[in-house]
């Protein structure tokens, strides 16, 4: 057989082998391809892919980030287009199956730390745009994926088959009758692309979310995430978004602060890497949808400010446990009034996080401190120092209880045991006793 004939046959064979990839590549029209890549880049921002698939100090999208769950540690995977350790050999069908159905190219089931139950409701076109963007703009990185470290029985992946039967639905986002296009877009972003329920919806005994939309009272009603209390996003007046206007929601998602609150903890990361990049129309859509969700806890009466605690602090009366610690550590920023300085130091009076039934986030803030979101709209971020190094558990519990029961706040006290347990979980040492 002639050499040129052999070369021709080899070229044909290689072309056939490449067909599955080419068949699902970007559109042939250059303008359409540019638009699809831009759409994928934008969707990746909203879906916040970088937050989970990039380890501290690691290459973008190369995985390796440790995700702490109640069942153990799961490490995010390499989603760069590297053919050996990433998604380089994935066709669009492979990618779609992983993103929307939680199944890797080799058939391995993915743990729902990857929010595929939410992504299942994404459109095929949006998944295709993500795929094209990953292959076009993400640099391939050869980095092997790390094994999970889960306790029995959660380390048996076959259990994900019945789990998916119970919790995975790929039906489109439901469009409520009478709602406009802005509401529908917001519902799609919240329920699918931005997967807000993955953090803000409580989970059951099998770690499935207790609701996918407002048809469930549990949907977005608040949950625990890696030791933090993800706040209630329903219309409750005290612990939810009932007292926020639509403009307040937009401002918070875009800048990480508004007149009611300032971001901290994991939400600062979400705003810094994701929601600040939403366009104005999508921010309005998300706010429109969130403001339509009825209250989950039945809080219909608005917060009412009580000046009594402020008067006692201004008079130097520290007869309430925790008052002296508040005056020493908190009052310079949050004032005797508890009203803080809007958009810099958040108010503690009437703050939904302060009166959350679960004080976990407050305990974290006092022990370790926090930082606001780093956004393009602000010249700097603000750091709140932690005080675990200088206050004992009972002192911290007294301080938090004082904050949760002053200025009209009516939340339950915080116990010394709760602070001590979180200190142990964080590996923090108690202050040295003289």
């Amino acid at each position: 057989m002639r050499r040129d004939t052999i070369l021709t046959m080899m070229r044909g064979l290689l072309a056939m082998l490449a067909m599955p990839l080419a068949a699902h590549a970007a559109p042939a029209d250059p303008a359409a391809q540019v638009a699809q890549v831009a759409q994928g880049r934008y969707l990746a921002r909203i879906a916040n892919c970088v937050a989970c698939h990039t380890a501290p100090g690691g290459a973008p999208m190369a995985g390796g980030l440790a995700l702490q769950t109640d069942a153990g540690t799961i490490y995010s995977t390499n989603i760069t287009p590297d053919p050996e350790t990433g998604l380089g050999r994935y066709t669009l069908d492979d990618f779609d199956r992983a993103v929307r159905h939680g199944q890797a190219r080799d058939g391995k089931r993915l743990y729902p730390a990857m929010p595929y139950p939410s992504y299942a409701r994404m459109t095929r076109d949006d998944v295709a745009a993500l795929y094209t963007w990953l292959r076009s703009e993400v640099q391939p990185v050869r980095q092997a994926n790390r094994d999970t470290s889960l306790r029995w029985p959660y380390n048996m992946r076959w259990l994900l088959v019945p789990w998916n039967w119970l919790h995975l639905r790929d039906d489109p986002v439901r469009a409520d009758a009478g709602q406009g296009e802005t509401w529908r877009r917001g519902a799609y972003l919240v329920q699918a692309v931005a997967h807000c329920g993955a953090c803000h919806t409580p989970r059951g005994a099998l770690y499935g979310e207790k609701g996918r939309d407002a048809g469930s009272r549990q949907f977005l009603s608040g949950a625990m995430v890696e030791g933090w209390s993800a706040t209630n996003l329903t219309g409750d007046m005290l612990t939810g978004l009932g007292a926020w206007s639509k403009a307040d929601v937009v401002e918070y998602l875009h800048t990480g602060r508004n007149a009611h609150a300032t971001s901290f903890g994991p939400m600062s990361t979400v705003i810094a890497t994701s929601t600040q990049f939403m366009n104005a129309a999508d921010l309005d859509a998300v706010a429109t949808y969130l403001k339509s969700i009825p209250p989950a806890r039945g809080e219909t009466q608005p917060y009412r400010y009580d000046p009594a605690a402020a008067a006692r602090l201004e008079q130097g009366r520290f007869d309430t446990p925790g008052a002296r610690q508040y005056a020493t550590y908190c009052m310079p920023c949050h004032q005797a009034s508890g009203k803080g300085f809007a958009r810099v130091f958040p108010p503690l009076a009437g703050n939904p996080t302060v009166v959350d039934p679960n004080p976990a986030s407050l305990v974290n803030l006092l022990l370790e401190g926090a930082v606001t979101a780093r956004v393009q709209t602000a010249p700097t971020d603000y750091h709140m120092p932690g005080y675990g190094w200088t206050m004992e558990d009972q002192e911290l519990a007294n301080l938090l209880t004082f904050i949760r029961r002053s200025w009209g706040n009516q939340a339950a006290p915080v116990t010394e045991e709760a602070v001590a347990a979180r200190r142990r979980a964080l590996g923090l040492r108690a202050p040295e006793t003289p």
Side-chain angles (χ1 to χ4, degrees):
M1 188 176 292
R2 293 176 52 185
R3 182 172 179 272
D4 57 345
T5 302
I6 295 174
L7 289 174
T8 300
M9 292 175 63
M10 291 179 64
R11 292 190 188 99
L13 178 60
L14 290 172
M16 291 176 64
L17 291 173
M19 282 180 64
L21 177 61
H24 300 298
D29 177 19
Q33 181 176 351
V34 169
Q36 188 180 47
V37 171
Q39 179 189 6
R41 186 190 311 120
Y42 179 70
L43 290 167
R45 286 284 199 186
I46 300 175
N48 209 9
C49 304
V50 69
C52 285
H53 289 280
T54 305
M61 306 297 179
L65 179 70
L67 304 172
Q68 304 299 331
T69 74
D70 291 342
T73 304
I74 298 172
Y75 294 93
S76 63
T77 55
N78 183 347
I79 61 170
T80 74
D82 177 68
E84 301 300 326
T85 62
L87 305 184
R89 296 180 181 176
Y90 274 57
T91 66
L92 175 56
D93 286 338
D94 294 332
F95 184 73
D96 182 82
R97 193 175 302 111
V99 170
R100 297 201 300 139
H101 296 93
Q103 186 173 2
R105 181 173 178 267
D106 61 4
K108 181 173 67 176
R109 299 286 176 175
L110 305 180
Y111 286 104
M114 156 69 174
Y116 65 85
S118 298
Y119 294 156
R121 311 185 86 180
M122 289 178 63
T123 65
R124 175 78 169 188
D125 285 347
D126 279 352
V127 173
L130 279 172
Y131 176 80
T132 303
W133 169 77
L134 279 170
R135 302 189 69 85
S136 301
E137 294 191 345
V138 176
Q139 292 298 312
V141 177
R142 181 160 298 189
Q143 178 173 294
N145 293 315
R146 299 183 61 178
D147 292 332
T148 59
S149 178
L150 300 180
R151 70 176 188 273
W152 186 89
Y154 303 103
N155 57 353
M156 297 190 293
R157 287 184 185 265
W158 68 266
L159 290 174
L160 290 166
V161 175
W163 191 93
N164 286 338
W165 292 342
L166 293 171
H167 300 289
L168 181 61
R169 302 286 186 276
D170 61 0
D171 54 305
V173 171
R174 181 168 56 91
D176 285 4
Q179 299 290 359
E181 185 58 37
T182 298
W183 184 95
R184 295 188 182 94
R185 174 65 175 174
Y188 176 70
L189 293 173
V190 170
Q191 295 178 27
V193 186
H195 58 278
C196 303
C199 287
H200 291 273
T201 299
R203 295 175 181 265
L206 298 178
Y207 299 108
E209 294 170 33
K210 291 184 176 180
R212 299 192 310 149
D213 55 38
S216 166
R217 286 178 63 89
Q218 301 274 13
F219 181 61
L220 300 182
S221 64
M224 280 290 291
V225 181
E226 294 192 317
W228 295 84
S229 176
T231 54
N232 175 5
L233 301 183
T234 74
D236 284 303
M237 293 298 295
L238 302 179
T239 62
L241 301 181
W244 292 26
S245 68
K246 194 169 73 168
D248 290 331
V249 177
V250 168
E251 182 181 9
Y252 183 80
L253 293 174
H254 187 52
T255 70
R257 60 202 75 187
N258 62 20
H260 302 276
T262 301
S263 70
F264 59 86
M267 194 61 199
S268 282
T269 301
V270 171
I271 291 168
T273 58
S274 177
T275 62
Q276 71 160 317
F277 299 104
M278 279 187 178
N279 61 44
D282 280 350
L283 284 169
D284 182 65
V286 168
T288 298
Y289 174 69
L290 289 178
K291 287 296 295 178
S292 75
I293 299 176
R297 298 170 181 165
E299 299 168 1
T300 58
Q301 297 301 312
Y303 162 78
R304 294 183 63 181
Y305 183 77
D306 182 347
R312 290 194 298 270
L313 288 169
E314 290 168 350
Q315 295 165 9
R317 293 170 52 193
F318 307 130
D319 45 347
T320 304
R324 187 175 297 277
Q325 285 83 4
Y326 180 82
T328 302
Y329 297 104
C330 309
M331 201 161 71
C333 293
H334 298 282
Q335 304 189 75
S337 66
K339 295 181 179 180
F341 295 90
R343 296 170 180 81
V344 181
F345 306 123
L348 302 178
N351 189 311
T353 298
V354 171
V355 296
D356 193 314
N358 187 339
S361 291
L362 292 182
V363 175
N364 289 340
L365 287 168
L366 264 292
L367 282 170
E368 284 201 305
V371 61
T372 59
R374 181 166 295 178
V375 292
Q376 297 174 347
T377 56
T380 186
D381 46 21
Y382 293 95
H383 292 250
M384 172 184 161
Y387 297 109
W389 64 274
T390 188
M391 278 192 276
E392 297 178 351
D393 296 335
Q394 186 62 66
E395 290 179 301
L396 287 167
N398 289 343
L399 171 54
L400 288 171
T401 298
F402 175 81
I403 291 171
R404 283 165 63 84
R405 300 184 71 84
S406 297
W407 312 294
N409 296 334
Q410 298 180 19
V414 177
T415 65
E416 177 185 8
E417 291 74 20
V419 177
R422 189 56 186 158
R423 189 193 291 273
R424 287 193 299 271
L426 293 171
L428 299 178
R429 297 178 58 185
E432 298 288 341
T433 55

